[in-house]
C-alpha cells in the first residue's frame, strides 16, 4: 500500500522524507556500521546528533540564549507535575486557564502541589481578557495554547504582565513562529509536531532553574537536565535523533514562517469545507479561536459516522475518528500533513455530503 | 561499511535481524501505509503490538500472573526515586546492597526519601552472606544484580527471607532465566538487553501497588500505569515496538535458557583470553562474581590503550573504551552480540598481546 494521509492526533504522521532518511540509515548510520539507535549517548557521534538537533530547534524557534532547551521523557503529563514542583512551593498560588481537556489535566495534577486559581474557563472559545481573574501573587500563569481534543487555539499569547507564563505547546509547537521571550517555560510532547512519542521538549528561561522544591526527584528537577545537557542519564536517543531529522526538514521547508502560511491555508480549507456544507458538517468552536492543527467536526447524522470512517479509510484518509469525549471526527493536520492530504479530505467530504446530504 | 561488532554498554547493539525487520516496515507497517511510529497508541494496531510484546516478555521470563508488567519512561534513574516513593514512607528504613557505581546512584536518590541502610559494600566481589547487615524493619531490600561499570554480577538471587526484594536488572535482564517470584519489583532500562533507549520495564508484584506516598506525582505512581495498561499517557511507542521485536527474536532463539548457554560461553571465552594473557590483560573482579554481560579489562601498559582502541575500531570491533571511572577497556556482550563477535575480539586480543607483549 502507498503511504496514506494519516490524520492521527498523536502519535501522528511524520514527514515521509524524514521516514525515508531514517529507513536508509537504519542499520548503518553515516558509514559507522551501526544504527544511531545502537551508539552510546556519550560518544562523539551521538553528541553531534544531539547538539545539531538543539541548534536547529533554536534556529527554527529563534530561542534566546538565556533559555535552556531540554530533551526529556514522560510526556506533557509528567510536566503537569514538574511545572509546580520546579516553580512553586506548597501553598503557593498558581494561575491556570481552563480551555478544555488538557487544561483540566494540568490543573488536576498541579492542584496536588499548589493552590490553583482558575483564571477563566471556556471550551469552545478563548476567554476574553475582560473575564480573566489573575491572582496578584501567582508564581506563574499556565495555559494550553492549543487544545488537541476541543480544537481551540489561542491566536495571541495572553498578556499576563510580568508574571511567568508557562505553556503546554504539545499540539501547536513548530506550527508557526512564536515569541519565546514572552514565556518562562514552554513544554511539548514530541508525538505531534516534533517526532516520535517518548520525547518531551522543555524550553525554560534560565533564571527559573534551581528553584525545585525540597523532595523533588532528581530526574524531575529541570536543573539536573540543564546541568547535564539532558544527559543526566540515558535520554530517548532515537526519538531525539528523529526529532533532529524533522527540524532539518522544517529548515529546508523555509522554517516556521513558511509552515505558518501553509498551516493557516490548510486549516482554512478544512473549516471552509465544514462551514459551507449547509450544516452537514459542524465545528463548535468560535471561528476566530479555531485550531490550525486539530479540526474536530461532527456529521449532522451520527448514524453516518461509521460509513464516513470506512470510506475515508478505504480512500487512504486514515485515523479520522474523533476523541471519545467529543465524538464525531477529528482531522489533525500537523506540519507533516501535506496540503494535498487536506485537499483530498476536503474533496472527499464534499462528495460524501453530496451523496448523503 | 558492513555491520560492526559493537561492544557499547548502552545504548547497545541490537540484533541485526531485528533492525532489518524494523527497517523493512519503517514506512509501511503490515500494509497500513503508516509506520507503527505514526499510529495512535490507543488504536487497535498499536494495542495489538503492545499486548504481544507484554505476552512475549511474560513467556520469556515466566512472569507469574500476580505480577504487572509496566512499560514506562525515564530509565533506571527515575526508578531510583519511584521505588522509595512507591514502597516506603518518609522515615522508613530501606536496605541497599552497594556493589558499585549503579548501586551508589540508587542509594543516593533513595536517601532523599528514606533512611537507607547499606547491607554490605564491595566493588570487586559480591558480599558474602555472613557480612550482610539486613535491617529487621526494612520496607524492602534493593540490589543491583549486575554492575555495568564494575563488571560484577550476583550469580545467585540473595536470600532476604520474607523481605520485598527489588532489583535494578538494567544490564542483566533477559541474559538468563530468573525466578521472578523471588522479587517484589524488577526494573530495567531498555537500552542494553531489551531495545532502544527511552523505555523502562518494571515488573511488580500486584500487592505492592497502591502504596505510593502522598505527594507522589501521578506519573511516578506505579498504580497509574498499572490501571491503564501503561497508557496513562502516550508511552514511548516505537521503543516499545522495537522491544517487542527483540522479544520475538529471543523466543525464536529458544528463549532465555538458550541465551544463558550462549552468554556464559561468550563470557568464559573472553575471561579466558584475559586470564591466559600472562598479565597483558587484567580484570579485577573475583572470578566467581564476574559479569556475563560487561567485561572490563585493563592493558598492562596503559600507554597502549589508544593503539588498542584504534586497531579494534579498524577491525570492526567498536565501542570498547572503558568507562572513565575505571579506565581501560570494557566489552559489553549482551544478547545481541553474536558469539562470532566475541571470537573476533578474543582473536584480536591474542594477536595484539603477541605483537605488544
Amino acid at each position: 500500500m502507498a503511504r496514506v494521509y494519516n490524520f492521527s492526533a498523536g502519535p501522528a504522521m511524520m514527514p515521509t522524507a524524514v521516514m525515508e532518511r531514517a529507513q536508509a540509515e537504519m542499520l548503518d548510520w553515516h558509514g559507522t556500521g551501526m544504527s544511531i539507535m545502537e551508539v552510546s549517548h556519550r560518544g562523539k557521534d551521538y553528541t553531534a546528533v544531539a547538539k545539531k538537533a538543539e541548534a536547529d530547534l533554536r534556529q527554527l524557534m529563534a530561542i534566546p540564549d538565556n533559555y535552556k532547551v531540554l530533551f526529556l521523557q514522560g510526556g506533557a503529563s509528567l510536566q503537569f507535575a514538574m511545572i509546580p514542583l520546579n516553580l512553586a512551593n506548597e501553598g503557593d498560588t498558581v494561575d491556570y486557564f481552563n480551555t478544555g481537556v488538557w487544561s483540566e489535566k494540568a490543573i488536576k495534577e498541579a492542584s496536588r502541589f499548589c493552590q490553583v486559581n482558575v483564571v477563566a474557563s471556556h471550551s469552545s472559545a478563548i476567554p476574553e481578557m475582560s473575564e480573566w481573574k489573575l491572582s496578584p501573587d501567582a508564581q506563574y500563569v499556565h495555559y494550553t495554547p492549543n487544545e488537541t481534543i476541543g480544537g481551540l487555539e489561542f491566536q495571541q499569547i495572553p498578556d499576563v504582565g510580568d508574571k511567568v507564563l508557562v505553556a503546554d505547546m504539545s499540539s501547536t509547537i513548530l506550527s508557526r513562529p512564536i515569541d519565546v521571550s514572552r514565556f518562562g517555560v514552554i513544554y511539548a510532547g514530541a508525538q505531534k509536531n516534533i517526532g516520535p512519542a517518548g520525547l518531551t521538549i522543555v524550553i525554560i528561561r534560565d533564571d527559573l532553574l534551581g528553584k525545585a522544591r525540597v523532595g523533588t526527584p532528581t530526574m524531575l528537577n529541570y536543573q539536573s537536565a540543564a546541568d547535564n545537557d539532558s544527559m543526566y542519564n540515558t535520554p530517548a536517543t532515537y526519538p531525539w535523533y528523529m526529532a533532529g531529522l524533522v527540524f532539518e526538514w522544517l529548515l529546508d521547508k523555509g522554517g516556521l514562517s513558511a509552515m505558518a502560511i501553509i498551516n493557516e491555508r490548510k486549516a482554512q480549507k478544512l473549516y471552509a469545507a465544514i462551514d459551507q456544507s449547509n450544516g452537514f458538517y459542524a465545528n463548535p468552536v468560535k471561528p476566530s479561536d479555531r485550531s490550525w492543527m486539530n479540526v474536530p467536526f461532527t456529521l449532522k447524522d451520527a448514524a453516518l459516522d461509521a460509513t464516513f470512517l470506512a470510506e475515508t479509510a478505504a480512500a487512504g484518509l486514515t485515523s479520522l475518528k474523533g476523541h471519545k469525549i467529543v465524538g464525531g471526527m477529528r482531522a489533525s493536520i500537523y506540519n507533516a500533513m501535506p496540503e494535498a492530504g487536506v485537499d483530498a479530505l476536503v474533496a472527499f467530504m464534499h462528495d460524501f455530503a453530496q451523496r448523503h446530504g
Side-chain angles (χ1 to χ4, degrees), chain A:
Chain A
M1 189 179 200
R3 293 269 293 170
V4 298
Y5 294 121
N6 165 12
F7 294 89
S8 173
M13 191 170 185
M14 301 269 293
T16 298
V18 165
M19 297 301 286
E20 287 171 344
R21 183 166 161 197
Q23 181 180 45
E25 55 195 34
M26 187 78 168
L27 275 85
D28 182 12
W29 182 82
H30 293 200
T32 58
M34 300 178 271
S35 173
I36 196 72
M37 192 189 290
E38 298 172 302
V39 303
S40 169
H41 54 297
R42 304 204 189 276
K44 67 176 169 39
D45 288 337
Y46 193 79
T47 305
V49 166
K51 286 192 184 302
K52 172 84 160 57
E54 179 181 334
D56 285 350
L57 181 62
R58 284 184 174 276
Q59 183 182 342
L60 277 169
M61 295 183 68
I63 299 172
D65 289 344
N66 63 323
Y67 285 74
K68 291 280 189 184
V69 178
L70 309 178
F71 291 78
L72 307 179
Q73 299 183 53
S77 294
L78 186 54
Q79 295 305 311
F80 296 163
M82 286 176 69
I83 292 290
L85 288 173
N86 279 272
L87 301 184
N89 283 304
E90 202 176 341
D92 281 351
T93 297
V94 294
D95 279 356
Y96 277 70
F97 283 90
N98 182 354
T99 50
V101 174
W102 288 100
S103 295
E104 284 164 13
K105 287 178 190 276
I107 289 167
K108 185 176 176 191
E109 186 73 3
S111 300
R112 303 179 64 234
F113 304 106
C114 298
Q115 297 298 318
V116 173
N117 168 59
V118 176
V119 175
S121 290
H122 280 295
S123 61
S124 60
I126 299 303
E128 299 286 345
M129 200 164 175
S130 59
E131 302 173 39
W132 301 358
K133 289 178 182 151
L134 292 164
S135 308
D137 57 346
Q139 293 298 312
Y140 61 84
V141 183
H142 180 281
Y143 82 118
T144 311
N146 184 69
E147 284 282 354
T148 319
I149 293 173
L152 73 162
E153 184 163 11
F154 284 75
Q155 302 299 328
Q156 304 293 334
I157 299 170
D159 180 359
V160 296
D162 60 359
K163 286 289 192 303
V164 172
L165 185 61
V166 178
D168 174 2
M169 290 209 183
S170 295
S171 53
T172 185
I173 194 168
L174 301 177
S175 67
R176 63 177 85 187
I178 53 151
D179 180 356
V180 173
S181 74
R182 298 277 303 275
F183 296 86
V185 186
I186 290 168
Y187 63 91
Q191 68 273 14
K192 299 164 191 300
N193 243 348
I194 295 171
L199 176 70
T200 311
I201 287 183
V202 173
I203 302 166
I204 182 167
R205 214 176 60 211
D206 55 17
D207 63 289
L208 298 172
L209 294 167
K211 300 185 172 189
R213 71 176 68 178
V214 174
T216 301
T218 304
M219 283 287 293
L220 269 53
N221 187 333
Y222 293 128
Q223 184 83 53
S224 312
D227 287 348
N228 293 281
D229 295 332
S230 303
M231 294 191 189
Y232 175 80
N233 72 337
T234 312
T237 54
Y238 197 72
W240 187 339
Y241 150 81
M242 291 293 300
L245 297 188
V246 171
F247 301 155
E248 285 187 30
W249 177 82
L250 286 169
L251 287 169
D252 284 347
K253 288 276 179 188
L256 302 192
S257 298
M259 295 314 298
I261 292 168
I262 300 168
N263 285 328
E264 184 173 22
R265 195 166 61 217
K266 281 155 56 183
Q268 283 176 343
K269 284 181 176 181
L270 198 41
Y271 287 116
I274 293 164
D275 292 342
Q276 294 164 14
S277 68
N278 293 316
F280 189 86
Y281 303 109
N283 168 286
V285 180
K286 182 179 172 188
S288 62
D289 299 339
R290 284 169 165 174
S291 169
W292 287 7
M293 295 286 104
N294 308 99
V295 182
F297 61 94
T298 50
L299 275 60
K300 191 174 186 176
D301 180 1
L304 287 172
D305 283 3
T307 308
F308 185 93
L309 287 168
E311 291 189 10
T312 45
L317 306 165
T318 72
S319 309
L320 281 159
K321 190 174 181 180
H323 192 280
K324 61 188 174 187
I325 293 175
V326 295
M329 307 298 150
R330 174 172 50 173
S332 295
I333 50 175
Y334 301 117
N335 286 334
M337 173 58 66
E339 190 162 356
V342 173
D343 291 341
L345 176 58
V346 164
F348 177 89
M349 288 169 67
H350 183 73
D351 176 66
F352 188 87
Q354 292 281 359
R355 287 187 282 118
H356 296 283

